[in-house]
Amino acid sequence: MPDLIHGLPKTQAAVVYAKRSHDGQWRRVDGAPFILHPLEVASLLYYAGAPDHVIAAGVLHDTIEKTHVLASDLRDRFGSRVATLVLAVSEDELITGYTQRKAALREQVARAGEEALMLFAADKLSKVRELRLDPTPARESLSGAAGITRSHGRRLTHYRHCLQLLQDQLPDSPLVRQLRTELDAHWDGTISAPVLASMR
């Protein structure tokens, strides 16, 4: 990551700030430092040609949801464009139901403009890649057929809806094409067939 952010002052500052903010946090899926996720999002945005402020927002996109950082903190340190992008991809924690909260997030992103959609695509691409690391996505049903856990299934449904939104609003984005490819590759056998059919 250091080589990528040379000449990107907002992103350089964001990496320092995000590392400090997410210090001591770990990914549930594999126990790795949580900061790897926002850094991957930033890397995806960089290679997709995003400008400095969007890449910086990618580094910072989970700070409001997962740390004590406030939108006003981001606005003071990184400016209103970065803070607005982070807010656009941050869930409303006052909405308690998973399905309702994720639907509200998608609607929020859809109204936020192309840069927010680009950031959202990079975030979802990174999260779908993390599904590969999950050692317990599948379980045996009573009949012995492979199934998916309720949590995994909910995430899959959300990612499917995210892809549909992004294909509608950013049809030419390489990030959206990669997201589609990753979702296609992730699911196999009886899991993939009905899911991928519904995405086409």
Side-chain angles (χ1 to χ4, degrees), residues 2 4 6 12 66-67 81 91 167 185:
L4 300 185
H6 179 72
Q12 289 176 328
K66 300 189 180 301
T67 75
R81 287 201 298 179
E91 296 180 6
Q167 287 182 145

Side-chain angles (χ1 to χ4, degrees), residues 55-167:
I55 301 172
V59 177
L60 299 165
H61 79 276
D62 271 328
T63 53
I64 292 176
E65 281 188 15
K66 300 189 180 301
T67 75
H68 296 298
V69 170
L70 303 175
S72 57
D73 299 328
L74 296 182
R75 194 171 292 111
D76 290 344
R77 286 177 175 268
F78 300 100
S80 61
R81 287 201 298 179
V82 170
T84 298
L85 284 171
V86 174
L87 280 170
V89 299
S90 296
E91 296 180 6
D92 183 350
E93 295 299 330
L94 296 178
I95 303 174
T96 55
Y98 179 91
T99 301
Q100 295 83 354
R101 187 170 66 252
K102 297 299 185 183
L105 173 64
R106 294 190 300 270
E107 290 174 11
Q108 177 177 288
V109 172
R111 296 191 303 266
E114 185 173 333
E115 290 182 341
L117 287 159
M118 188 178 191
L119 170 52
F120 194 61
D123 177 33
K124 296 311 147 205
L125 176 54
S126 176
K127 296 305 285 185
V128 169
R129 286 176 173 178
E130 283 183 19
L131 292 176
R132 297 178 184 177
L133 305 174
D134 190 345
T136 57
R139 64 181 177 192
E140 293 293 313
S141 69
L142 292 176
S143 65
I148 56 174
T149 64
R150 181 171 179 267
S151 173
H152 214 72
R154 289 194 314 180
R155 290 171 67 190
L156 172 61
T157 299
H158 172 53
Y159 296 150
R160 175 169 53 87
H161 289 311
C162 291
L163 178 61
Q164 290 169 342
L165 163 67
L166 292 162
Q167 287 182 145

